[in-house]
Amino acid sequence: MSATLERALRARRDEGAKLLVPYVTGGLDEDWTQVLAAVVAAGADAVEVGIPFSDPVMDGPTIQEASTRALARGTTPASILADVRRAQVDVPVIVMTYYNLAYRMGDLRFARSLAAAGVSGAILPDLPLEESAVWEAEAAAAGVETILLAAPVTPDDRLALIAERSRGFVYGVSRMGITGERADLATSAGLMAKRLKAVTDRPVLIGFGISTPAQAVEVCMEADGVVVASALLRALLDGGGPEAAADFVGAMRAALDAG
Amino acid sequence: MTSLHPTPGMGEPSTSGRFGHFGGRFVPEALLPACLELEDAFRSAWADPAFRSELDALLRDYAGRPSPLTEARNLSRQLGVRVLLKRDELNHTGSHKINNVLGQALLAQRMGKHRLVAETGAGQHGVATATAAALFGFECIIYMGEVDTERQSLNVFRMNLLGAEVRPVSSGSRTLKDAVNEAMRDWVSSVETTHFCLGSVMGPHPYPWMVRELQRVIGDEAVVQCRALLDGGVPDVVVACVGGGSNAAGIFAGFVDTTARLVGVQPEGGAAIGRGLPGVVHGSASMLLQDEHGQVSEAHSVSAGLDYPGVGPEHAHLAAGGRAEYPSVGDAEVLEAFQLLGRTEGIIPALEPAHALAWVAREAGRAIPAGATVVVNLCGRGDKDVAHVAALLGRPTDAG
Ligand SMILES: Cc1ncc(COP(=O)(O)O)c(C=O)c1O
């Protein structure tokens, strides 16, 4: 049960693959689990499922819009987890949400509900090292790997600590800022990856603003992989369904495989 | 001298920024170094006599402190309790918000930041921040919910006159909560050059502690003024309105180690203490209006400054320990109290402190025994609310 995510990602990396992890807001539309299936078929190595929160302070307009839409459909943490369980996704599933949803349910209960739905990892961006120890322990007890985030302003000593405590992979934030599509790749993205690679053997994935196959390829000159969220969600919000998601992820997969 | 209280006082929070179970630093990694830097900067500045005397001089010569403590004789006669008004509405910019902002602006300067971002509800904190930015020569961006830019439009124009850019926020409930979200999003992107000038005793550590310390001048003055007026005594009750809770924390800090009852008055539609549950939003754990899943609820109040679903963590702690109490009042009572003070004392209060007055008016002779002495923190003046109240009361303001 334990380290499902990290084992899977390390295995893929050992095969020489660059890791591709698309993000989908849970409950976005009626057919959202078909989107999950489509991105997996198109070559995702793991998928990130966002459980929408009313006040997503790390998210830009696209994920905010997706969150609002999903919440307006009556989506709850329980309904998303039930959908995930039914969907039988055959790559590791990671949940990303904000801490209050776990806090309200109770850390251990929340972690167990993730595990029961077959979720293997969790990202809680508003839990920095100083606040995450209790959650990390409860999550580990339930068999859920907690992925920690590092930011460009994180000093070296903190970076090493984050990499050490993180499970599954280490999530490097590409730039100082919130999620959202970007025309240009921040120069901080490559540096973030390089600094993390220097302190850890765990897979290092970079996210926030990775919008195009070319950007993904560029980041992966340093990083082991990328997390892609807003640009994919944009396609879905603009009316594209599972096929649009598959096209988007497929193009990224092809570019990463071609190097 | 009454330090034998079995209940919590208002000391420094723990190293993790906790007041009992509440507080903390629930921020993204990108902001954590800034929170640590701010804590260090504040700690050293607050212990530095040069910083303190510079701030004292600003508060005196620029903001007009100390604010008087006024006997409200007519109101007292009408209510049957002795009401003393702590007149922070007389400060430059019209509210207590300037106390906090001048301190944070000095600190920003010390940290080498040249851009301030802030959230605002009623616009008073935005106006105060824009004012300090003008004085210090900082760039200034104010986030304000669209609902609030409408009901407090006068303050939007004031901020513009002061050279600040007001960015209306159209997400969520389009009020204070969403303005905080947007200010935090700005800060994540700009933290290297920008200081987040938070307006209340909320947010991640060190803000709740720092803002309370910067507001404690209200309580420190009032306790001395009371002593002079009450033959060395202390009032029976100290009352303040609570949005995030900064004016309340400031005045409570002066009286927490006395026998005075401390009362923080919340709006009925935003009574995080009483109707909320423990939760984590905007950087700290506190009491929070939310649904069963943990989604934050929208608050509802006639007063933009109190229209917030959370409350500062130290208030949650004072409530849990029983040292302070947090009743609530409804919009109708507030509108009554807003008019009452004008008619009896010739003072038009802001809608926020009208909550404190409404509780006193309701409880005089009940929860407040007849003849008791009550200090009300009159933390803001009503100019900003006049047009809004006129509309609510169905009185046209442009009839000539
Ligand atoms: C006059 C006045 N009082 C009170 C408040 C609420 O803030 P706090 O509870 O932090 O004092 C505001 C906020 O805008 C205000 O303008």
Side-chain angles (χ1 to χ4, degrees):
Chain A
M1 257 301 280
S2 70
T4 314
L5 174 63
E6 186 157 335
R7 253 190 291 115
L9 295 183
R10 279 179 184 270
R12 283 287 286 150
R13 183 178 64 179
D14 292 346
E15 291 165 13
K18 289 298 181 180
L19 305 168
L20 177 56
V21 180
Y23 169 104
V24 177
T25 298
L28 180 66
D29 289 303
E30 196 62 45
D31 65 353
W32 83 274
T33 53
Q34 283 158 260
V35 172
L36 280 188
V39 300
V40 171
D45 297 300
V47 288
E48 214 178 297
V49 171
I51 301 184
F53 178 52
S54 53
D55 294 84
V57 293
M58 276 303 274
D59 289 307
T62 303
I63 294 184
Q64 286 179 49
E65 186 185 336
S67 300
T68 305
R69 177 147 135 193
L71 288 172
R73 288 186 63 246
T75 297
T76 65
S79 74
I80 290 175
L81 292 177
D83 286 351
V84 167
R85 190 191 173 88
R86 265 194 304 273
Q88 302 272 353
V89 184
D90 41 337
V91 296
V93 178
I94 302 155
V95 151
M96 171 149 174
T97 192
Y98 289 82
Y99 181 55
N100 196 50
L101 301 189
Y103 190 72
R104 182 88 303 276
M105 193 184 283
D107 287 7
L108 186 56
R109 248 186 85 207
F110 189 75
R112 283 187 176 146
S113 75
L114 297 185
V119 171
S120 52
I123 302 173
L124 298 168
D126 53 350
L127 278 190
L129 285 181
E130 282 74 3
E131 301 291 350
S132 67
V134 172
W135 161 260
E136 286 168 54
E138 303 285 37
V144 172
E145 293 157 76
T146 298
I147 296 113
L148 299 179
L149 291 93
V153 289
T154 305
D156 285 336
D157 50 344
R158 251 185 104 81
L159 205 68
L161 204 56
I162 288 168
E164 187 187 314
R165 269 169 59 178
S166 191
R167 295 288 179 268
F169 63 92
V170 191
Y171 193 140
V173 173
S174 70
R175 60 171 70 240
M176 290 303 291
I178 53 178
T179 60
E181 314 88 289
R182 304 290 178 135
D184 306 309
L185 186 68
T187 50
S188 50
L191 184 60
M192 184 80 256
K194 203 177 208 155
R195 289 177 64 212
L196 279 169
K197 291 295 289 176
V199 296
T200 187
D201 178 47
R202 271 186 232 290
V204 169
L205 273 68
I206 298 293
F208 281 43
I210 312 294
S211 306
T212 66
Q215 291 171 349
V217 168
E218 192 182 336
V219 175
C220 283
M221 306 216 308
E222 302 289 348
D224 296 317
V226 289
V227 178
V228 188
S230 297
L232 170 57
L233 276 174
R234 188 73 265 155
L236 294 169
L237 288 168
D238 288 347
E243 313 75 49
D247 288 349
F248 181 94
V249 172
M252 256 194 202
R253 178 80 270 164
L256 287 174
D257 289 349
Chain B
M1 54 186 233
T2 42
S3 59
L4 296 172
H5 265 287
T7 46
M10 295 174 78
E12 214 181 282
S14 73
T15 48
S16 70
R18 292 295 196 289
F19 301 95
H21 298 300
F22 304 104
R25 268 181 297 232
F26 295 86
V27 291
E29 172 62 20
L31 293 180
L32 209 284
C35 291
L36 298 175
E37 179 198 3
L38 182 61
E39 183 185 345
D40 283 349
F42 176 67
R43 200 176 287 284
S44 87
W46 210 227
D48 176 359
F51 180 89
R52 297 292 282 259
S53 72
E54 202 176 349
L55 178 57
D56 286 348
L58 273 174
L59 289 172
R60 184 186 62 232
D61 304 331
Y62 187 70
R65 300 208 73 90
S67 69
L69 186 71
T70 302
E71 282 271 10
R73 291 203 170 76
N74 302 327
L75 182 65
S76 299
R77 207 173 304 118
Q78 182 164 333
L79 297 179
V81 297
R82 183 176 182 187
V83 180
L84 306 175
L85 302 172
K86 179 59 177 162
R87 304 286 304 279
D88 257 56
E89 100 282 11
L90 293 176
N91 296 336
H92 178 45
T93 71
S95 80
H96 68 293
K97 297 289 183 185
I98 194 78
N99 304 330
N100 168 41
V101 160
L102 289 174
Q104 289 199 42
L106 265 183
L107 204 56
Q109 191 178 50
R110 222 172 136 106
M111 291 188 296
K113 312 258 163 147
H114 50 77
R115 181 173 176 270
L116 298 182
V117 295
E119 83 297 345
T120 197
Q124 289 302 101
H125 176 60
V127 166
T129 305
T131 297
L135 183 66
F136 282 78
F138 297 147
E139 186 188 345
C140 181
I141 310 288
I142 304 294
Y143 293 93
M144 188 171 187
E146 265 177 359
V147 169
D148 297 335
T149 57
E150 281 157 33
R151 60 181 163 175
Q152 310 273 238
S153 58
L154 185 65
N155 271 343
V156 175
F157 186 58
R158 285 170 82 196
M159 289 183 264
N160 292 151
L161 286 175
L162 294 161
E165 180 188 339
V166 178
R167 294 189 183 159
V169 177
S170 59
S171 56
S173 57
R174 298 180 294 132
T175 60
L176 183 53
K177 158 179 98 76
D178 310 283
V180 177
N181 289 340
E182 218 43 51
M184 286 186 80
R185 291 183 185 118
D186 183 311
W187 198 34
V188 177
S189 318
S190 62
V191 64
E192 279 146 306
T193 60
T194 298
H195 174 66
F196 181 16
C197 188
L198 238 175
S200 193
V201 286
M202 44 182 277
H205 180 57
Y207 284 99
W209 168 56
M210 175 177 75
V211 176
R212 180 251 283 169
E213 287 300 289
L214 292 172
Q215 290 292 2
R216 73 175 303 136
V217 63
I218 306 172
D220 288 344
E221 284 174 13
V223 82
V224 174
Q225 291 166 321
C226 280
R227 232 179 265 141
L229 212 61
L230 307 174
D231 283 334
V234 291
D236 300 300
V237 191
V238 174
V239 189
C241 65
V242 174
S246 67
N247 85 88
I251 197 161
F252 287 1
F255 293 94
V256 70
D257 295 324
T258 75
T259 54
R261 238 174 105 183
L262 306 179
V263 180
V265 183
Q266 309 174 98
E268 262 168 15
I273 299 176
R275 298 188 181 185
L277 291 166
V280 173
V281 78
H282 295 157
S284 53
S286 187
M287 299 305 284
L288 178 66
L289 297 176
Q290 56 187 313
D291 72 10
E292 59 183 306
H293 306 293
Q295 307 293 356
V296 181
S297 307
E298 297 184 5
H300 294 286
S301 169
V302 66
S303 138
L306 305 184
D307 215 343
Y308 184 68
V311 66
E314 190 169 26
H315 288 295
H317 177 55
L318 290 169
R323 179 60 190 96
E325 54 201 290
Y326 296 87
S328 60
V329 294
D331 287 352
E333 299 168 275
V334 169
L335 287 171
E336 281 300 317
F338 178 86
Q339 299 168 80
L340 176 66
L341 196 68
R343 283 199 307 269
T344 53
E345 298 294 334
I347 300 170
I348 298 176
L351 281 170
E352 291 79 18
H355 285 69
L357 290 162
W359 182 80
V360 172
R362 185 177 78 197
E363 299 299 337
R366 298 194 175 92
I368 312 169
T373 302
V374 183
V375 172
V376 175
N377 195 15
L378 200 63
C379 59
R381 58 179 175 244
D383 309 36
K384 70 181 174 64
D385 295 314
V386 167
H388 181 49
V389 171
L392 289 172
L393 299 177
R395 315 255 184 88
T397 48
D398 54 358

